[in-house]
Amino acid sequence: MKAYLCREYGPISSHKIETIDVPIPNDNDALIEVYAAGVAFPDVLVVQGLYQIKPEFPFSPGGEFTGVIREIGSKVKGWKEGDRVIGFKGSGGFAEYALCNQFNIMPLPDSMDFLTGSIFPLNYGTSIHAFKQRAELQPSENVLIMGAAGGLGISAIHVAKAMGARVIAAASETEKLELCKEAGADETILYSKDLSNSDDQKTFSRKIKELTNGNGVDVTFDPVGGHYAEPALRAMAWKGRYLVIGFTSSIPKIPLNLALLKGCQIVGVFWGSFCIREAMVNAQNFNALFEMHAKKLIQPKVEKIYSLDRTVEAIESLATRQARGKVAIQIKSE
Ligand SMILES: NC(=O)c1ccc[n+]([C@@H]2O[C@H](COP(=O)([O-])OP(=O)(O)OC[C@H]3O[C@@H](n4cnc5c(N)ncnc54)[C@H](OP(=O)(O)O)[C@@H]3O)[C@@H](O)[C@H]2O)c1
């Protein structure tokens, strides 16, 4: 089979498409013929050794994918050859076949095709967990989403809107903000590509407050960090919840007195760990998400499709901040 393979850490372009043996499932694994895989920022990090999870070499990145089960291990229960499924695990999806533990598989709902399903678990699973369990988001609360035109950002817009919130989307390009509007954002804020300048930071805080009658936002969803975090925290409402999601820019240092002054919470969100520690709650979240999808309350969309041979380009589009919306790799057509 063909796979984009990481044999040792290095730049994204140092890893190549190779032909290797189809893997053999262990007792608890299913062998999935991969149709499509979502591309996400952890793929940028994991092949360079910069991610918190470090799969064994050699590995293919691609933590979310869809396909058809072709073989099952001796202890697999409830799954059979021919099942159409979504797989979610740290890696393995950028290949023609992937192994997946039986507990990291969900049925692909009838309402989804393979491409749609491949961009669903990581981003929608994270967004609903962030808003439901971590922020306890209430209808009509104001939510600020940063990096809002990224894969995770767009899913956060969908989920927050489906939960009845008013969404302010922030991003670095007008075209990205148009995408956020299409996804349902009520308001948008254009921030600069580099917010290191303190005047730009003040402008960002001021714009957030202007869009919330001077009160600030109830919930901030921050997958970006860097220089964007502090001005966003300065624009929190009283008793707000600041969701720490990721650091595509960099890991910021925050003056903790801001949490005191705002009476607000700074809340960590780690979906991968939540899936393991609270599997039942995660399953309930997905039931809710599949229902939202069937009712068209959330409409995941792949903005750009690449072939497996172009995996490097696909991952680099995220690393260089060029990607708009969600990117996926189509490995086999329906
Ligand atoms: N906590 C969790 O459980 C969890 C789960 C999934 C993902 N994540 C994290 O969430 C983050 C977003 O993932 P994603 O897949 O949505 O990524 P993505 O599609 O690449 O979007 C990330 C956005 O970050 C912004 N950004 C700001 N500075 C950047 C830089 N220097 N390089 C690249 N992008 C930059 C960009 O928007 P602008 O240009 O508009 O600023 C971009 O659209 C990642 O850090 C990922 O690891 C966390």
Side-chain angles (χ1 to χ4, degrees):
M1 69 166 187
K2 284 203 301 181
Y4 169 77
L5 211 63
C6 176
R7 291 188 176 276
E8 60 181 15
Y9 296 130
I12 296 160
S13 61
S14 67
H15 313 298
K16 307 289 175 213
I17 303 290
E18 295 190 29
T19 301
I20 54 171
D21 290 343
V22 173
I24 298 163
N26 289 320
D27 290 352
N28 277 303
D29 289 337
L31 175 71
I32 298 170
E33 183 177 14
V34 181
Y35 278 57
V39 183
F41 209 81
D43 301 319
V44 171
L45 303 175
V46 74
V47 296
Q48 301 183 76
L50 302 174
Y51 196 51
Q52 61 252 32
I53 295 164
K54 297 192 164 39
E56 253 177 59
F57 295 121
F59 70 89
S60 298
E64 50 178 2
F65 48 89
T66 47
V68 176
I69 294 183
R70 294 299 178 208
E71 205 181 323
I72 52 169
S74 59
K75 293 189 180 153
V76 172
K77 293 210 165 66
W79 300 106
K80 59 179 187 327
E81 286 167 28
D83 283 347
R84 292 156 58 96
V85 294
I86 299 176
F88 58 103
K89 54 180 277 214
S91 56
F94 298 163
E96 288 176 318
Y97 289 86
L99 290 182
C100 202
N101 185 290
Q102 58 176 326
F103 302 113
N104 293 114
I105 302 172
M106 294 182 276
L108 180 70
D110 293 341
S111 61
M112 280 186 197
D113 56 24
F114 283 109
L115 264 171
T116 308
S118 77
I119 63 161
F120 204 70
L122 175 64
N123 290 340
Y124 287 85
T126 301
S127 296
I128 195 168
H129 169 52
F131 289 131
K132 223 173 160 181
Q133 283 87 34
R134 305 306 285 138
E136 299 184 10
L137 176 66
Q138 301 303 310
S140 37
E141 282 194 314
N142 285 304
V143 174
L144 170 71
I145 298 171
M146 302 205 276
L152 185 58
I154 294 285
S155 74
I157 297 175
H158 289 159
V159 173
K161 285 305 296 174
M163 290 175 74
R166 174 172 175 261
V167 170
I168 302 169
S172 67
E173 292 171 18
T174 318
E175 265 186 312
K176 288 186 174 182
L177 290 177
E178 279 161 16
L179 207 64
C180 297
K181 276 269 180 201
E182 266 173 47
D186 299 285
E187 305 287 349
T188 56
I189 297 176
L190 182 68
Y191 53 52
S192 68
K193 280 247 182 220
D194 169 17
L195 215 66
S196 56
N197 176 304
S198 73
D199 285 341
D200 288 347
Q201 292 175 9
K202 282 182 190 144
T203 306
F204 183 37
S205 289
R206 181 176 47 74
K207 284 183 180 168
I208 300 167
K209 286 192 188 145
E210 278 171 6
L211 290 173
T212 51
N213 292 325
N215 293 325
V217 282
D218 303 296
V219 174
T220 289
F221 184 96
D222 179 12
V224 175
H227 294 299
Y228 301 84
E230 187 176 326
L233 186 59
R234 287 184 185 278
M236 292 301 295
W238 178 245
K239 288 189 180 175
R241 285 86 75 207
Y242 190 100
L243 297 169
V244 180
I245 308 282
F247 313 103
T248 51
S249 175
S250 61
I251 300 178
K253 290 202 166 68
I254 294 290
L256 264 186
N257 65 314
L258 292 176
L260 179 154
L261 293 172
K262 305 283 173 190
C264 74
Q265 300 172 48
I266 300 174
V267 188
V269 177
F270 187 0
W271 179 68
S273 220
F274 165 75
C275 287
I276 297 165
R277 291 166 187 269
E278 300 181 55
M280 289 304 291
V281 188
N282 185 49
Q284 286 162 9
N285 281 353
F286 273 93
N287 287 340
L289 285 169
F290 289 139
E291 215 173 293
M292 286 178 192
H293 183 259
K295 289 181 180 160
K296 298 197 184 337
L297 290 174
I298 52 174
Q299 301 199 337
K301 190 175 161 205
V302 180
E303 285 300 328
K304 188 144 187 187
I305 302 170
Y306 291 83
S307 63
L308 184 59
D309 289 335
R310 293 177 65 208
T311 301
V312 168
E313 270 177 78
I315 305 176
E316 280 185 339
S317 73
L318 271 68
T320 55
R321 218 170 166 172
Q322 312 274 316
R324 297 189 181 113
K326 184 73 185 182
V327 169
I329 296 185
Q330 187 161 36
I331 294 160
K332 188 174 169 156
S333 305
E334 306 227 6

